[in-house]
Amino acid sequence: MKDAQGHRAMKLSNATLADLPQAIVRPTYDRSALTPGIVHIGLGNFHRAHQAWYLHRLMQQGQAHDWAIIGAGVRPGDAAMRDRLLAQDCLNTLIELDPAGISAEVTGAMIDFLPIEEDNAQLIATMSDPAIRIVSLTVTEGGYYRRADGGLDTGHADLKHDAAHPATPRTAFGAMVAALRARRTAGHPPFTAMCCDNLQGNGAILRQTVVGLARLSDPDLADWIDTQGAFPDAMVDCIVPATGDAERSIVQDLGIDDAAPVTHENFRQWVIEDHFCAGRPDWAAAGATMTDNVHPYESMKIRILNAGHQVLANVGEIIGHQTIADCMDDPRIAAFFRKVQTTGIIPYVDAVDGMPAAKYLALIETRFANPKIRDTTRRVAFDGSSRHPGFVLPTLRDALAAGGDIQGLALTEALWARMCAGTREDGSQIAPNDPLWDSLVDAAQATRHDPQVWLAQDGFYGELGDNPLFANAFGNWLNQLWADGAAATIDAYLSR
């Protein structure tokens, strides 16, 4: 392959690092001397642009060379990514898309990627090694087997399988339990388990899943994990689009032939509860915030940024905007976003570390409007069945309890229901975009004639579906969306 000047792009590998174009930042450390300390499960774009980058920065400073990452997949489709990364020695090109310009850096904190196996045998063996002191995860917000009330869904077929076959589990959590059992049997301490998904109190949620699953087959092991292990909270933040042809062409134009490049915005934040049972890298030296209380940071980010993404993405899909930046460039949609935030979300977000919620919102508006970030509405709208309950509905509950303005959040939910009907306003089809897509489409199409059908999905709404204030507002907005369209409905909201 060739770059924009017609020169052959350099195939990324350890052997070619020194030959990359001079402007490309690359590892200055000896990758052959790195030894593993972390297993990361769910090695997608976000992890490579965020957690792996922080570790890479430490390694550039001469630190953490015994904390290298071993990647692990959680889905059969991860095998293709494994092949691409192993073919280039697990190196990765990160492209920072600053509105003022583009820069590139090759990172090298990851040194291996385990095979994807149904029984997770190599994953279990690797996590059983006492050299592995942290196991971190990005497996999506809906991947922790939680019931609508937040408890562990012990009746789920996956967990029932792992409880009955603890030596050959099918889930990542079952593999963690099996490895922790092996470590206890061998007299080794547990590893720290660190969730890096966008969940409020994600450390407690991961603890519930791992300890709860262990308790189904070995209560003594569960007690040992619960008392001896550690499950720190962590808040992660960086906008990382999916990689497509446009992103691959950027890295090619820079002179690098990378089979798995990642683009990201010019912003990162990582806030970590400083509670580890087997040591940790000095992430603060790379810019992370170590704290005893992650909750306020989580709340601000999840309620303003993550819920804000849902405010934009569903209406964007309905009217055919391709990206979040396109939505922010639409004056009507931008005004809708700001009003929902200022009247329905910000009143329930406290200032954090000197950052008022209104100032944080201004930062988010700037980040969302970055035209270099082609973060598609489709990507952001994916898995709404996890994202709306996790990001939007907690604030809606607070607003109802406080007697606040719920109209914007009710319209946001109506827009989600309208999107899940499966067609845009121009008649084009919306491709399946949720693990529960078929049932969502059935409910959304029935909801066209009876809005209560949507709210009767107890797994999402629970008691909210029976709240007359919310039900009435939701029904009114949904009926108007079907009758008048999104633009007129948003205009009606803005004129209130």
Side-chain angles (χ1 to χ4, degrees), residues 370-389:
N370 182 348
K372 294 287 182 66
I373 298 291
R374 295 200 54 79
D375 199 12
T376 64
T377 50
R378 176 173 175 80
R379 185 198 78 83
V380 175
F382 173 73
D383 198 14
S385 60
S386 293
R387 293 179 175 184
H388 281 259

Side-chain angles (χ1 to χ4, degrees), residues 39-118:
V39 167
H40 185 85
I41 301 172
L43 201 137
N45 280 13
F46 182 82
H47 167 74
R48 289 181 285 149
H50 192 272
Q51 298 101 36
W53 177 88
Y54 279 92
L55 188 58
H56 164 73
R57 298 303 293 173
L58 281 181
M59 291 176 172
Q60 294 284 67
Q61 298 172 25
Q63 300 186 53
H65 291 181
D66 60 341
W67 284 101
I69 297 166
I70 294 177
V74 293
R75 299 178 300 270
D78 291 328
M81 177 60 72
R82 175 179 185 265
D83 291 344
R84 289 195 291 271
L85 287 171
L86 288 178
Q88 56 193 46
D89 299 320
C90 294
L91 291 165
N92 204 105
T93 309
L94 302 185
I95 308 296
E96 182 173 280
L97 301 177
D98 189 316
I102 292 174
S103 60
E105 180 171 14
V106 173
T107 66
M110 177 183 172
I111 59 173
D112 200 3
F113 198 136
L114 299 175
I116 289 79
E117 302 171 313
E118 187 173 351

